[in-house]
Structure formats: structure tokens, C-alpha cells
Amino acid sequence: MGRLRVALGLVSAAVSVVLCVVLVEKYVLRAEWWQVRHTVTGEPVTPQREVGPPPGPLAVSWERTTPTHHGAVAGYDGVSYQVALGQVVTASGNGIEVRDARTGADRWSYRRSGWTMLGWTSTRSRLVAYFERDGERADRVMVAFDALSGGLLWRREGERPAAVSRSTLRWPGGSDIVLTTDDADRTLFGVSAVTGKRVWRLALPRGCRLFEGGAHPADGREALAAFGLDCREDGRRRSRLLAVDPAKGTVAWDERLGSKESPEVSMLDGITLVSDGTALRAFDGEGDQFGMWKGDGVCGDLMCPGVLAAGRLLVVYHPEGSRSDATRMEAVDVPSGRVAWGRDVPAYVALAQAGGQVFALRPRLSEGLLPAGVDIVEPSGGGTATAPAPFSMDPDLPGARPWLAAAGGLLYAAVPQAAPRPDGAARLVALRGGLTGAGPAELGGVPAADWPDACSLLTAPDLAAARMTGYAAEPHRESAGTVRLPRPVSCSYERRGDGRRGDGRDEPKSKGDRKGEKSASPTTKPEPKPTSSPSPSASGSSRPKPSASTSEDAEPPVRGLTVSVRWVGETDEAAARMLDALQAAQSQARKRRDIGGDEAYEIGPTAGMIALRVGRYVVVVEASRPPGAAARIARSVAYRLHHPA
């Protein structure tokens, strides 16, 4: 009897322990109350008209930065955006943030501690997010919200989104249906965005499965969703494009593509673009192909930008057989496929349309200038108006893809940046029409006469103090849109007599030399040091040293020296914003307080580049060697900008 009691006691204790573990697991470890950070709003939002800013200078209305989230699943570290219903949605691995599109004020947000958001979609007034627990991919949950208030609609465990884009984290949805798939990626399910229940099932064609982990393997609008399929036909792999009606769960059309690679799919209003590594193809709403641009590099590393405006498809691509940096824009009538016009354009990285205008984002206003550029393109004939964006960008940085949207008289641009280092972030900037200045819009309203001559920023005494008396200055000019700057914006210094740059490389003739222009640089002969007005030395003192020591004579010559005026802002604040954007786009940047300008940064792994601001001027000094030469010469440049002749 005693043994029975002991056995029953042990069983009871074991059951109690198991019960406690289950309860702790369910109500503590997996409880929503400590994992979820969810805010909602009851404030109304003002709808926006489909119109962007007018041609002319642009100014910052508001901006926000979203840090890049590197979760447990490699490759899903992008940041993406959507402008709809008077709101801006920001989606990243951290979760969802929704802001007022007009003011940038916070509206609602959702995050889960210990989880990573690996997908999101929206349809009508609903938004659905997909999360996986860090380190446990089988533990997944799909959460739906009212898009305006952020209120929770439903939560469903176990569902997998169909063909999530690694670059934007989006997957298709439409007609109040979000599309999910099974673990084998061979079946599509339609899940109601209102209730969270499955409403239809569609088996994919035999031998086909969805591409998992592609850069952009699917896209959708309210009435149609398109998926790239990885298919095996007659023992060979080949990709296909499947279009599905999300409301009914039926196949709208199905087309074979030209390669086995995962295609990139982009869907506009009634138009589907797909690039598969052999060509860029355009399909209308019935699945008829009306345009094709051949070439394995037709879209480069990213999907070709495209928009639909005034019944025409405007697409940017790299022509087959052309040089690697050649870019062309064509306007194609839909659905005839007739090319209405085409022209060579800058390397646009994003397009948007609103109010009959097409906005195009270019990484550089001009090759030697700092800002990005925004072109307003006329769909009827291709006419263009150019303005500088009040930021700089590097489209090759990881994280967010360059993105553009227009609504409510604002232009929204998102670009990747390296800061905060090392993870980086995405910067979202809302732009409005700026005040018209005394100068051209292509220069942000700054008169071209306000730009200094880059070759005048180092005088003969400055060069002598830097032990560069045997160097000649070579000017380089730039244009912004149709405006050509009257003075050189960059000045390279080469050792006289050998036709080589200071770094020993052959130097090609500049445009200025071909035209016979004269530089406003110091005279080629060393001048005596002035006695009436002191000059800065390369070390930053108020006057050059009267003589050089033996150790200075042994110092190696300066090589690869270039002084560039990268931008002149309309105000000091505008120039400071541009310099901050420059350093934020660099993988390595350190603040320098010993240059003598209003602010300065040392850029790169060595001290070979100094970016500085003095008032409205942003200048970059580059010197490959010796170490510290760029900083010493930058002090002389800062002095000259503070004390112009």
C-alpha cells in the first residue's frame, strides 16, 4: 500500500510539472502581452490627391530614418514603403510603422520582440504582416490589421506567404484576399484579409513550384497577381509566369519565359513586367505580350523601372550590345506595342507617376556634383525638367531599394544609407516644391555665378607650403541639366613635365584642355610669399612656414590631389544637410574638428579624402598619399573659403 502511494505521488508530481511547463510555455513564454508592442490610433487622416510637386526646386517637408534589421534569416533585411490612404507604410524586419503622409507624424505601429517580420501585404483597407520567431522558422504567425487605425483583425498561426520578395518583403494580395502557400510551394491558398479563413485553393501546374527567396519573384494589384514559377518540363528546368485572379482563385493566364532563373516581376495598373535574365517582357491584362527588350543585362542588377502614364508604358533599360552604363527610356503605347518615343537618359533607379507627370530619380544630378537628381518627364514627348534632390545617395548600398512615389503635392523618395554603422538604414524623405531662387532650378535656385572656381581654392603659397611647387592645375567643368557652370568645379594637380597625375597614372586630357580653356589656377612659377596678408600653411597655421626642415625635404610628394566643389547650397542649412547625406552614405566616415571649416568628415579607411563645409560651400579634397596630406590641404581650402580674395 505504501509503495502504491509513493507511485501515485510520483505520477502526480510528474503531471504537475508537465502541466506547469505547458502553462508557462503557453501563457508566459508565448504570451502576447510581453512580446508585442502595438500602438493604434483613432485620429482621422486626410486623403491625398494624385499629384506631385510642380517643376522647380525641391525642399524637404519631413524625413525619417529606419534602421536595417538583420534577423536570423539571411537576405531578408530590406526596408520597403507604400503610400496609400493618406498614409506612408514603412515595413522592415523590425515590424510595421505607419505615418501621416502629409506631416510624417506617427499613427500606429506593430512589433514583436524575439520575432522578425519576413513579409507584408496590403489590400484595400487591410494590412497583413508575417512574422517568424528568431531561430525557430517553424514557429510563424500571420497578423492582420485595419490599415487606418492599426486595430487587430485576426491572428493565424502556421500560414506561409506566397513568394515573398527578399528586397521589399512584400507578397501579393488583392480583392481583400492574401495569397499563401504550403510548405512544398506547390499550392496557392486564398486567405480572407477580413476573417483570416481560407476561401479557395489552387494547385500549381504539374512539375511547378513557387520560387522561394527570389529578389522579387511575384507582384500583384487588387484585380491580378503574378507569380514566377520554377518548372520542370521534359527533364529541363524552365521558368513560367502565372497570373491569378485573387478574388476567385482562378488562373487568368500562363506564359513560358526564356530561362530557368528566378524572374523579377513588377505589376503596374493592368500591366505586368517580367525580367528573367534573357529579356524584359511586358504583358497586358489579358496576358498578351506587347513589348520585349532583349539582353541578359537589360535590367542590370535590379528590376527595370517602369510606370504607366497616359496610356503609355514608360520603361528604363540597358540596350543590348551597348556599353555597360548606357541607359535608355522608351514610351510604348498600350496595347499596340508601338514605341512612341525613346531617348538616352541617366541611370534612373526609380520612377513614379501622378497627375499625368512622371518623376524619375537619378543617383547624381551630374557626375561631379553631390546631390541626386529628380527629372520630371513628359509622357507625350519625353521633355524633361531637372532639379537637384536635397540629398545624396549611393544606390549600390545594401538594404532598401531606391523607391519613389508621388501624392498630395509631395514626392516621396527612399534611399539606402550606411549610417548608423555597421548595419545601415533607409532614409525616407518627403519633398515639396521649394521657393524659386535667383538662379536656375537645376542648381536649386542658386545663381551659377555663386559657384567658386575650384582651382582658386589653393594659391601658390598654399601649394608651396604643401611642397607642391612643381605641380600644375587642370580644371574640370560640369553641367546640371541644361545649365553649364561657368567655372571649374574640380581641379586636379599633376606633376609638371611628365604628363602624369600625382599618383603616377596617365592623365587624360580634360574637356577644358580640348577647348583651350585657361584655368583660374595659380601661376606655374612659384611666387614669393606675400608679406602684407598671411596665407594658411598646409598644417593649418595662419601663415606658411618661412623654411622647411631637413625632415620636410625628405617628405614624399603629394600624389593624386583633387579639390572639388561638390555643391553650393542656397543656405548654410541646405549645405549642411547635403554634407550629412554624403557622410551617411559612406561605409566609413569620421568627424574631424581640426580642419577649420564649419564641419568636416574624413571619409574612407585612410585619411585620403576630406569632405568639408564652409558656409554654403561643400568641398571634397582627395589625396592618395602621403597620409594626412588631404587634411593639411583641406585646412588651406577652408581658410580660402573663409577669407576669399
Side-chain angles (χ1 to χ4, degrees):
M1 193 66 180
R3 292 181 179 179
L4 180 59
R5 291 177 180 174
V6 172
L8 290 175
L10 292 175
V11 172
S12 177
V15 171
S16 300
V17 170
V18 171
L19 182 60
C20 288
V21 170
V22 171
L23 292 176
V24 169
E25 173 75 12
K26 182 174 182 179
Y27 294 105
V28 178
L29 297 181
R30 296 179 180 270
E32 295 284 304
W33 60 268
W34 70 270
Q35 296 183 86
V36 172
R37 299 292 182 269
H38 185 194
T39 62
V40 298
T41 182
E43 295 294 325
V45 66
T46 303
Q48 292 178 294
R49 296 182 298 120
E50 285 196 18
V51 61
L58 297 170
V60 175
S61 180
W62 58 268
E63 64 179 309
R64 296 290 186 275
T65 299
T66 302
T68 300
H69 178 82
H70 298 284
V73 182
Y76 290 81
D77 53 2
V79 181
S80 64
Y81 301 89
Q82 180 189 37
V83 176
L85 305 175
Q87 302 180 130
V88 176
V89 178
T90 302
S92 69
N94 290 310
I96 295 288
E97 294 180 346
V98 179
R99 298 184 175 91
D100 188 296
R102 183 175 57 86
T103 65
D106 295 337
R107 287 187 55 78
W108 65 271
S109 63
Y110 186 88
R111 297 180 178 85
R112 296 179 71 93
S113 178
W115 297 65
T116 298
M117 196 188 81
L118 295 178
W120 73 287
T121 188
S122 64
T123 170
R124 295 177 180 167
S125 61
R126 279 90 184 180
L127 189 149
V128 183
Y130 170 74
F131 292 84
E132 288 185 4
R133 187 187 294 274
D134 295 342
E136 298 181 32
R137 296 208 63 182
D139 199 352
R140 51 191 184 232
V141 63
M142 200 169 280
V143 190
F145 310 91
D146 178 84
L148 291 175
S149 68
L152 182 67
L153 297 179
W154 51 265
R155 183 173 62 251
R156 183 180 176 116
E157 297 181 358
E159 290 283 3
R160 291 182 63 239
V164 174
S165 164
R166 281 191 295 104
S167 57
T168 66
L169 303 182
R170 292 204 70 168
W171 87 88
S175 301
D176 269 342
I177 299 292
V178 298
L179 288 91
T180 64
T181 187
D182 57 1
D183 289 337
D185 294 318
R186 298 186 183 277
T187 305
L188 287 176
F189 301 100
V191 176
S192 170
V194 180
T195 65
K197 297 180 180 180
R198 289 181 178 178
V199 295
W200 55 257
R201 177 184 180 276
L202 175 66
L204 297 181
R206 185 175 181 180
C208 296
R209 59 186 299 168
L210 298 171
F211 277 102
E212 178 71 20
H216 208 290
D219 202 1
R221 289 294 184 267
E222 289 296 332
L224 195 68
F227 297 86
L229 299 184
D230 182 8
C231 300
R232 284 196 173 273
E233 300 176 354
D234 300 327
R236 297 173 53 193
R237 287 183 59 197
R238 187 173 184 178
S239 60
R240 291 164 64 172
L241 186 67
L242 182 73
V244 176
D245 183 342
K248 302 175 183 177
T250 57
V251 175
W253 46 269
D254 182 3
E255 294 290 336
R256 286 178 171 83
L257 301 179
S259 78
K260 63 181 181 181
E261 304 298 328
S262 174
E264 292 215 24
V265 182
S266 175
M267 184 166 287
L268 312 175
D269 292 333
I271 301 297
T272 303
L273 291 175
V274 57
S275 171
D276 63 356
T278 64
L280 172 69
R281 296 175 172 84
F283 299 91
D284 63 17
E286 303 300 321
D288 296 326
Q289 181 177 302
F290 67 89
M292 183 172 70
W293 298 263
K294 294 183 178 180
D296 55 0
V298 66
C299 288
D301 296 331
L302 302 175
M303 181 60 179
C304 291
V307 293
L308 189 65
R312 287 178 173 172
L313 170 67
L314 274 67
V315 65
V316 178
Y317 69 99
H318 302 296
E320 184 180 22
S322 62
R323 66 183 192 276
S324 59
D325 60 343
T327 308
R328 189 167 179 82
M329 173 181 277
E330 286 186 355
V332 181
D333 289 335
V334 180
S336 68
R338 182 183 67 88
V339 177
W341 57 264
R343 63 181 180 86
D344 294 336
V345 295
Y348 294 138
V349 293
L351 299 180
Q353 73 84 26
Q357 293 180 316
V358 174
F359 300 87
L361 178 64
R362 52 203 285 187
R364 288 284 180 272
L365 179 67
S366 182
E367 185 63 31
L369 304 182
L370 189 55
V374 174
D375 289 352
I376 299 181
V377 182
E378 177 58 47
S380 60
T384 302
T386 302
F391 56 83
S392 66
M393 63 174 291
D394 180 357
D396 296 327
L397 286 173
R401 277 191 179 187
W403 171 85
L404 208 60
L410 297 176
L411 183 67
Y412 302 89
V415 296
Q417 64 177 38
R421 303 169 183 88
D423 293 333
R427 171 178 288 190
L428 173 65
V429 185
L431 305 172
R432 53 178 170 78
L435 297 176
T436 303
E442 290 86 345
L443 297 178
V446 176
D450 288 1
W451 283 67
D453 183 344
C455 293
S456 69
L457 298 181
L458 288 178
T459 64
D462 300 330
L463 295 174
R467 312 199 65 75
M468 294 179 61
T469 54
Y471 289 69
E474 184 172 345
H476 306 272
R477 297 179 181 270
E478 287 288 347
S479 298
T482 59
V483 177
R484 183 168 175 81
L485 290 165
R487 303 185 184 95
V489 300
S490 179
C491 200
S492 300
Y493 291 83
E494 63 179 25
R495 304 182 71 176
R496 190 185 304 110
D498 60 1
R500 292 175 178 268
R501 290 170 51 98
D503 56 6
R505 294 177 295 170
D506 291 332
E507 175 69 26
K509 292 292 183 181
S510 69
K511 296 179 182 178
D513 282 352
R514 288 196 297 267
K515 295 183 180 180
E517 70 180 20
K518 299 297 182 180
S519 165
S521 61
T523 58
T524 57
K525 294 183 179 180
E527 296 181 356
K529 298 170 186 176
T531 57
S532 57
S533 61
S535 300
S537 70
S539 62
S541 60
S542 62
R543 64 185 66 216
K545 297 180 180 179
S547 61
S549 65
T550 304
S551 61
E552 289 173 331
D553 291 335
E555 183 179 345
V558 175
R559 298 182 182 273
L561 175 62
T562 302
V563 178
S564 306
V565 181
R566 293 295 183 90
W567 193 242
V568 178
E570 190 173 17
T571 62
D572 292 3
E573 180 184 0
R577 184 189 300 273
M578 197 64 66
L579 179 61
D580 179 69
L582 169 63
Q583 68 85 21
Q586 310 301 317
S587 59
Q588 297 185 44
R590 297 162 294 281
K591 200 170 185 67
R592 292 287 297 259
R593 304 184 186 277
D594 58 343
I595 300 301
D598 294 325
E599 52 184 328
Y601 291 91
E602 182 180 280
I603 293 174
T606 64
M609 179 185 292
I610 301 293
L612 67 144
R613 179 184 68 85
V614 176
R616 299 160 52 209
Y617 306 103
V618 179
V619 179
V620 173
V621 178
E622 299 174 79
S624 58
R625 49 185 170 167
R632 294 196 299 270
I633 294 169
R635 295 186 187 102
S636 297
V637 172
Y639 180 89
R640 291 299 167 198
L641 290 171
H642 276 302
H643 305 87

